[in-house]
Amino acid sequence: MDMSFVMDYTKRLTDHCGRIILGKEETIRQVIVTFLAGGHVLLEDLPGTGKTMLLRAFAAGIGGDFRRIQFTPDLMPSDLTGINFYNQKESTFEFRKGPLFANIVLADEINRATPRTQSALLESMEEKQITVDGQTWPLEKPFMVMATQNPIESYGTFPLPEAQVDRFFMRLSMGYMKREQEMQVLCRPATGELLKALSPVISQEETDAVQAMCRQVKVSDEVLSYIMDLVEYTRRDDSLPAGVSTRGALCLYQASQITAAMEGRDYVLPEDVKREALAVLGHRLFSDMDAAEKYVEKMLDKVAVPLEKV
């Protein structure tokens, strides 16, 4: 299978976002992986590192609608989903859609909202639909949520429960730019002006085609066994409260397929699995990113890598 189309698709979208976010090609690539898998991103980073701009640029690149929701303790579930209101002129109830009815949604500082409001996000993330007053409404296609957390300020926050964290396909961190890149950002026109100049570089039809191609990427029995060896390593570790879930194993499988396709291959190598292990598995093991990175590095050193057969 010729994967040049997937490579071209990835390059166009990466270059597009790279016009706004400098020096973060790997983060952009991981967002694309999550997008193609139909998943959602948990972005844990310091304020002012470009999280909102990344998603705005990404939404512009796919020609989708973007909504940013600032999560606060007084945010209600209906502020996300929408409400039924009474139209006195028509004497009927009408549904007014909330900000979840968009293609790309930024849930900013999700841990500042109450658990009740956080849980309102679950159905939209998992089922791609919301239910209000017993009526179900399908969400836009495509649909991806990026939720952010500030790792250094936890006062007045409501930590996400493990079951909700597990619903995120990946956890990423952007970090600061390099000195030269940040100097370029300081001197260039305002980011808002640059965003206005962006136009779509891919279509929904192209995304559908790329997703179908990624699902056809072959995973040999040896590589599949390697994925399960990693997952079972975490389940046998008594120092962990819980190992990686089946959902987590499936996410690692899908991420490896997409990564292989992005590299122009129609088969997965163990290196693809290792490349995605931290982003996909880390948040399912530790809330602290440094602890997760150390654990995954140790796990990858200890679990034997197979000689795959293509």
Side-chain angles (χ1 to χ4, degrees), residues 8-288:
D8 176 68
Y9 174 100
T10 304
K11 186 178 187 305
R12 276 186 283 148
L13 198 47
T14 302
D15 291 347
H16 170 88
C17 295
R19 294 168 59 186
I20 303 297
I21 305 298
L22 303 183
K24 301 298 177 183
E25 289 79 9
E26 180 60 18
T27 302
I28 296 170
R29 189 193 71 83
Q30 293 286 44
V31 172
I32 297 174
V33 170
T34 302
F35 175 70
L36 291 174
H40 310 281
V41 177
L42 181 61
L43 190 58
E44 189 170 299
D45 219 328
L46 300 171
T49 52
K51 300 182 290 291
T52 302
M53 293 302 103
L54 170 60
L55 270 203
R56 285 188 180 276
F58 191 87
I62 67 171
D65 293 327
F66 171 81
R67 295 289 185 276
R68 177 183 177 274
I69 309 169
Q70 182 63 52
F71 277 61
T72 56
D74 60 348
L75 193 72
M76 300 295 292
S78 58
D79 294 327
L80 304 179
T81 61
I83 59 171
N84 282 312
F85 75 100
Y86 187 68
N87 187 328
Q88 292 184 338
K89 184 177 180 180
E90 302 292 336
S91 298
T92 58
F93 281 95
E94 296 180 6
F95 180 61
R96 181 173 294 166
K97 294 180 178 181
L100 287 183
F101 287 87
N103 300 115
I104 306 296
V105 176
L106 175 62
D108 212 359
E109 295 190 292
I110 187 175
N111 54 333
R112 294 208 173 277
T114 61
R116 181 185 176 193
T117 302
Q118 291 174 2
S119 65
L121 209 56
L122 293 181
E123 182 186 12
S124 68
M125 291 171 58
E126 191 72 15
E127 305 295 337
K128 308 296 175 68
Q129 65 183 28
I130 61 102
T131 302
V132 177
D133 295 336
Q135 185 173 1
T136 299
W137 299 82
L139 295 175
E140 305 294 331
K141 181 183 178 183
F143 176 72
M144 183 175 73
V145 171
M146 178 182 285
T148 72
Q149 292 189 122
N150 184 346
I152 63 172
E153 189 179 352
S154 59
Y155 178 76
T157 62
F158 302 87
L160 296 177
E162 286 77 6
Q164 188 163 337
V165 170
D166 192 50
R167 283 176 166 80
F168 287 96
F169 191 87
M170 283 188 182
R171 177 174 64 180
L172 303 174
S173 177
M174 292 179 65
Y176 294 121
M177 289 178 282
K178 294 181 179 179
R179 177 185 174 91
E180 294 75 14
Q181 295 161 347
E182 196 159 3
M183 289 172 66
Q184 292 181 47
V185 171
L186 296 178
C187 297
R188 73 184 185 183
T191 305
E193 295 300 317
L194 295 175
L195 285 169
K196 289 179 183 178
L198 296 180
S199 58
V201 294
I202 61 169
S203 66
Q204 182 59 44
E205 291 73 23
E206 288 178 307
T207 297
D208 292 340
V210 169
Q211 288 175 323
M213 294 177 72
C214 290
R215 286 193 293 267
Q216 296 178 48
V217 172
K218 297 187 292 292
V219 181
S220 67
D221 291 342
E222 290 77 13
V223 175
L224 179 60
S225 180
Y226 179 57
I227 292 175
M228 285 309 304
D229 286 343
L230 295 174
V231 170
E232 290 173 348
Y233 178 92
T234 68
R235 295 174 181 174
R236 293 192 302 267
D237 193 338
D238 295 334
S239 67
L240 297 175
V244 173
S245 66
T246 301
R247 182 192 285 118
L250 179 59
C251 289
L252 184 57
Y253 182 93
Q254 293 173 321
S256 301
Q257 285 182 302
I258 296 169
T259 293
M262 286 179 169
E263 294 298 318
R265 286 181 275 102
D266 64 352
Y267 57 90
V268 175
L269 297 175
E271 286 70 22
D272 301 321
V273 179
K274 296 172 73 172
R275 184 174 184 177
E276 300 298 336
L278 176 59
V280 174
L281 303 183
H283 62 294
R284 295 177 162 91
L285 301 172
F286 292 94
S287 59
D288 180 77

